[in-house]
Amino acid sequence: MTHVDRIARAASVPLRIAVFSHGTEAPPAGRAYRDELELFVAAERLGYDGAWVRQFHFRHDDDPRRGGLPAPFVFFAALAERTSTLRLGLGAVTLPHEDPVRVAEDAAVLDALSDGRVELGVANGGGPETLDVFAPALVGADHDTRRSAFDEQLARLLGALRGETLGTGTARLNPDGSALLDRIWDATLTAESAAIAAARGHGVLVGTTQTVPAEVTAAAYHEALPDGATPRVALSTAIYPARDRDTALREARDGIEAKYAWGESFLPPATTLAEKAASLQLHYGTAEDIAASIAAAPSTRFATQLNVQVEHGYPDYGRRREALALFAEDVAPLIGATVGSSVSGLSAVSA
């Protein structure tokens, strides 16, 4: 399949607009989780297609800001009761930290409670501090060993969802989770993992901080997707709106610096704040600035879904809600999308 064919296939799929969040990094957790729930409720009212969250474990004494959402199924059960149309996207559950059959059970129960709104993302990964707790046998393991372990865990998860017998008896997953098999997504950082996801028929979650450029990952996915398969490429799209680009950089400085410091070892080299923002794929400024920046990004043309992030440097949830409203009302139409009524696009981007 040629480069032009890949772009055409992505452009022929209705573009979805969702919200993505890494979850809270600041205590008290109860208030922060409730604020995050309300942010997603507001997103549904604005017409966003889905809410996606990332699973993070533990806090650390050397950096009390590090933390997040360790139990996304519990969180989404609360969100399911507050919403009626919002897709519930796990982006993603780190399988080396979990029992795959328990993940299948939690996903199936949540899908039943939410009337079929779950999008189940899975990831291979985990740092030494989490593997030491959940999977000590994988601490220090090489790439091939960890890939093999993940493949085995994923096979167990998919087998449970298919209704295969579990263990040595006649036990099967309850409730039935087979509908989820068409809603599996792989979180990827490389072209190799994206191609594997495509061969499986899964969707792919492409982040703002990749070990290779996002367009390389997305292109590899399209290249490997079987003929006739519908592509599912969710591209994380971080924004920071302001009255102009200089103001946006100034206001988002702390968030940009913190995020770049976290990923400096694998992100493109940068020294100025603007370079760091570009390295993080942050789209900032006026609605027109943000739309032009998204349109110019090489990865955008491969996307079938934009997962909008409003996290870099925002002072409070009020500003984050305002940013989501601005994207829905002013940015989305400029890139050929309509929040609340997905259309075939990126017509303005691919032209």
Side-chain angles (χ1 to χ4, degrees), residues 296-307:
S299 56
T300 302
R301 64 188 64 195
F302 296 105
T304 64
Q305 177 171 305
L306 299 184
N307 283 351

Side-chain angles (χ1 to χ4, degrees), residues 197-334:
R200 289 175 173 144
H202 296 176
V204 67
L205 301 168
V206 183
T208 57
T209 51
Q210 299 280 129
T211 55
V212 298
E215 62 270 18
V216 174
T217 300
Y221 173 85
H222 279 280
E223 187 74 36
L225 199 66
D227 290 342
T230 301
R232 289 183 290 140
V233 179
L235 179 67
S236 290
T237 307
I239 66 168
Y240 194 97
R243 67 172 180 266
D244 54 55
R245 285 172 64 81
D246 288 341
T247 300
L249 278 181
R250 185 172 63 252
E251 292 180 355
R253 173 182 292 275
D254 289 348
I256 294 170
E257 294 285 8
K259 187 70 172 181
Y260 186 81
W262 169 81
E264 187 172 6
S265 64
F266 59 85
L267 289 171
T271 53
T272 68
L273 193 61
E275 289 171 345
K276 292 176 182 178
S279 181
L280 294 168
Q281 300 294 308
L282 177 64
H283 309 285
Y284 58 93
T286 65
E288 292 77 13
D289 291 331
I290 291 170
S293 179
I294 292 172
S299 56
T300 302
R301 64 188 64 195
F302 296 105
T304 64
Q305 177 171 305
L306 299 184
N307 283 351
V308 180
Q309 290 180 245
V310 285
E311 297 173 331
H312 291 79
Y314 287 84
D316 53 49
Y317 277 89
R319 284 289 300 277
R320 292 174 69 184
R321 285 192 294 271
E322 290 172 3
L324 289 179
L326 178 137
F327 188 94
E329 296 163 7
D330 299 331
V331 177
L334 295 176

Side-chain angles (χ1 to χ4, degrees), residues 77-228:
L79 184 60
E81 290 298 298
R82 291 166 165 83
T83 56
S84 59
T85 63
L86 207 65
R87 309 299 299 173
L88 308 176
L90 295 122
V93 176
T94 307
L95 280 188
H97 298 161
E98 308 287 344
D99 181 306
V101 176
R102 284 289 299 113
V103 172
E105 288 182 322
D106 284 345
V109 169
L110 179 61
D111 204 46
L113 286 171
S114 65
D115 294 325
R117 288 190 278 145
V118 173
E119 304 287 334
L120 180 55
V122 295
N124 185 15
E129 72 278 4
T130 51
L131 291 176
D132 182 54
V133 176
F134 295 114
L138 293 178
V139 175
D142 60 26
H143 171 79
D144 290 344
T145 299
R146 293 186 62 172
R147 167 59 68 180
S148 177
F150 173 75
D151 289 345
E152 182 180 339
Q153 291 165 321
L154 181 59
R156 290 186 64 209
L157 170 65
L158 298 178
L161 293 175
R162 280 193 293 265
E164 296 175 1
T165 55
L166 305 171
T168 58
T170 60
R172 299 181 191 275
L173 189 70
N174 182 52
D176 175 62
S178 59
L180 285 161
L181 290 166
D182 294 328
R183 291 180 256 137
I184 305 293
W185 301 71
D186 290 5
T188 60
L189 292 176
T190 67
E192 176 192 11
S193 56
I196 293 171
R200 289 175 173 144
H202 296 176
V204 67
L205 301 168
V206 183
T208 57
T209 51
Q210 299 280 129
T211 55
V212 298
E215 62 270 18
V216 174
T217 300
Y221 173 85
H222 279 280
E223 187 74 36
L225 199 66
D227 290 342

